[in-house]
Amino acid sequence: MGIEKKSHHKLIKKLINTQRTEALRGLLKDLDVVEIMNSFLQLKLKYQLDLLEALPKEIASDVLAQLHNYSPVFTEVVEQMNAETLGGLIEEMDGDDAADVVAVLDEEKADEILGSLPLKEREEITNLMKYDSESAGGIMDPDVVAVQKEHTVAKAIQEIRKYTVKEDIEKFYIVYVIDEFQHLIGFVDIHKLLLTEATAFIKDLMDPNVVAVDVEMDQEHVANIVREYDLVVVPVIDKYLKLIGRITIDDVMDVLNEEFYEDLGHIAGTGDEEVLETSVFRTSKDRIPWLILGLVGGFGAALAMESFAVYLEKLPEVMYFIPLIAALGGNIAIQSSSIIVRGLGTGEIQATDLFVRLWKELRVSFLNGPVCAIILFGMVLLLTDNLTMGIVAGCALIAVVVLATVVGSAVPMLLKRVNIDPALATGPFITTANDLLGVIVYLSITLTFTDIPV
Amino acid sequence: MGIEKKSHHKLIKKLINTQRTEALRGLLKDLDVVEIMNSFLQLKLKYQLDLLEALPKEIASDVLAQLHNYSPVFTEVVEQMNAETLGGLIEEMDGDDAADVVAVLDEEKADEILGSLPLKEREEITNLMKYDSESAGGIMDPDVVAVQKEHTVAKAIQEIRKYTVKEDIEKFYIVYVIDEFQHLIGFVDIHKLLLTEATAFIKDLMDPNVVAVDVEMDQEHVANIVREYDLVVVPVIDKYLKLIGRITIDDVMDVLNEEFYEDLGHIAGTGDEEVLETSVFRTSKDRIPWLILGLVGGFGAALAMESFAVYLEKLPEVMYFIPLIAALGGNIAIQSSSIIVRGLGTGEIQATDLFVRLWKELRVSFLNGPVCAIILFGMVLLLTDNLTMGIVAGCALIAVVVLATVVGSAVPMLLKRVNIDPALATGPFITTANDLLGVIVYLSITLTFTDIPV
């Protein structure tokens, strides 16, 4: 049943290493694409190329198509493959996958490979490359099964049979209905064709309430539509409402994954870095901006402390709680902002709900702020025996919490309104800003209201 | 085409408010489930119940099934509905959705509703409720189309027609093949049945390499299998390898979403809180443990600073950079840990790869650490004019970075090995630990190696 992953990786590696190509081929024949991918991803580049050579074309092209989700590895492998092998695999691939491969090649190699393809495939690929890679057009498959509304079921089946053989279509679950101008006017679930009389007319079977996406629509928007409507495939139309492709659920899942990890990368300060990134330099480059941001915020805090130096020298205990205040401000802000960024992404929160949301977040802080303040009060008392300072520090903490809530809630919503990715406002940006604000507010309040010994 | 969301929310709200039920029904008739859901989620509980009453049963049951993804709202609505209406909707629902509804009811109401259902539905629901709600059994639909391997296509189609009418199955894309004991032995894509001769045998058409999941498998594991194999539906088998249900891709997407947000909640310190959570108390309860954790870490830092008080009084400038050090330690740790948690979730990283991963993360830190150290050196010089302190602080920072990298990389992998959710180790836990460790390491090194004026 292939449920449990059993790793054939060691054997595969050994067979490649010792160049026992025949034995390798024999082993690979019994594995499925997922098993091969699992091993492939653990190999060094040189061995990855050997493995692709050893695989039958139809499997190798599947592996390459899947590899697109692991972009640093994908780019390396594609760049290193020789043009002839690569051309052979591209010919086997679906149009959308083939276009993804050609897109990462340098111009010269791309031209060489495109030139070697049959005219029809070449046109299909160059046609797809027109679209933004993050739009519906960039992820659609131009091969889509459609029938005329005037046909009977029997005639439609005949047409489908011809078309699927010609275009080598392996899977489809929904048949779209078009008029004589290729306009999309409905759909028929394939099981309906199977279970209905052969003499029935398509136009009587079809559901006219078809949800389609425009070829220029952003892929995240497409994914949300597919998820909301529980679709397994969504048709793509051009500006004349003509059917030009389809996007299947597996590609939609890849998009959702990609968008999710993009958000996570912003929150964690790793940028677009991928788990399988092999280059230490690229990883370092993805991460260092976020660290420098933290350093700049920290320098701000140092400047703030220096400007209060005269008072701090007399009451150094105030400084002991600065890390606590900074951390709390950051934590509060990231709680509010992450919930809001999440809601904006799924559409559960609209950018116009600013005040409703802010009020809800503030009410939460009116509960949590005092709880934290009382705890801090106890800690200050325990450590310094200074009652006034305890009370003042607790009040300062409430101010920090309220401020952090306002910043954490408002900034992502305001960014969304001006069309900047709100996820950028969570993670390092928001924590750094609130570390710094927190330190300034805390020092100002505590040093103003606590009796400083002269 | 229904692409752009046009909001009918205001009108719906007005019609409910003024009790113009007929006009409301007329409007709802023209909307699809997604449009109704969008409005529904913005209504107050009382109006939500009115809206469900106004909807035709088959739409209301769809809305209720979709609502399961918004668990606080779902629970509230289900608890407040009267048993009779709820029973009527449950009868309309698929078995898995119906079981979700019954699961949140108190025992008395559940018994009342189950008692009012036809025997077959009641058995189906109680049967499904046996399974853990986060297992394959908890999300599967027990209605699955299957045919005998000995049948011809014509006979199989006849059987499918009978079964789908009897069980009221609306959609299916794959037909499973079973032997006489109900053992799962293969599958046929439905378009193959459509495009093949009626006299062909199922056993000649079927693909025997069917990927199935065990009824007890964890839902996240199921989702990863569906994603890896690009399936639209996966069959569920019991321990005797008999076919007992199917899980469709829309449910798998819901699972992936749920798991994503669970991880995000751990990283951001919001726990299981949902975007649409309406109760301020529940939100506060979800968030406060993470804040208290931060306070405890901060208190640790305060204790550390107090224990160095004698030195700090003489060299207070050292304190200015404590917020910077704490923030940097936290940021570095969260970068490493988030990448690792991500990889462990998708299976791209195995828990056994500990040293390989740690070494990669360390190499990144050997690049980023010195860059940050040089920046800090400049900042210290600028603010204090103390060359020795600049050098020592820079070195201390490198130590903090290395330590944070080790903790951030190793902890999630070690947790995974002992089967604790590694996502717990990122976010507040890891930042708090590294804030504290960072402060201690920084103070120890700086105060030991800088000349302290006597």
Side-chain angles (χ1 to χ4, degrees), chain A residues 355-389:
Chain A
F355 291 103
V356 181
R357 264 289 144 180
L358 184 56
W359 179 231
K360 195 215 147 181
E361 293 294 323
L362 276 174
R363 278 181 299 155
V364 174
S365 288
F366 294 153
L367 283 175
N368 289 354
V371 173
C372 294
I374 290 167
I375 296 175
L376 178 62
F377 170 76
M379 289 172 172
V380 172
L381 228 54
L382 210 68
L383 213 65
T384 68
D385 247 344
N386 184 335
L387 186 69
T388 330
M389 185 183 145

Side-chain angles (χ1 to χ4, degrees), chain A residues 411-433:
Chain A
V411 173
M413 298 192 79
L414 293 173
L415 286 184
K416 178 78 181 185
R417 283 203 193 175
V418 293
N419 261 323
I420 298 174
D421 183 356
L424 274 174
T426 192
F429 270 107
I430 222 103
T431 45
T432 303

Side-chain angles (χ1 to χ4, degrees), chain A residues 185-205:
Chain A
I185 57 170
F187 72 96
V188 183
D189 274 316
I190 184 169
H191 65 85
K192 279 204 185 160
L193 293 182
L194 189 72
L195 302 178
T196 321
E197 307 290 305
T199 52
F201 284 99
I202 293 294
K203 65 171 185 287
D204 300 325
L205 273 186

Side-chain angles (χ1 to χ4, degrees), chain A residues 9-57:
Chain A
H9 176 60
K10 278 189 186 154
L11 185 53
I12 290 179
K13 199 170 152 185
K14 197 169 159 191
L15 293 176
I16 298 180
N17 211 349
T18 52
Q19 302 197 311
R20 284 153 65 192
T21 314
E22 276 320 302
L24 178 63
R25 289 215 169 104
L27 170 65
L28 292 172
K29 217 171 43 164
D30 293 329
L31 303 181
D32 61 36
V33 177
V34 175
E35 290 165 322
I36 295 172
M37 272 300 282
N38 280 335
S39 178
F40 186 89
L41 289 170
Q42 299 176 55
L43 291 171
K44 290 199 177 140
L45 181 59
K46 188 179 154 308
Y47 291 162
Q48 288 177 330
L49 298 173
D50 290 342
L51 181 56
L52 281 177
E53 291 278 354
L55 285 168
K57 259 192 194 180

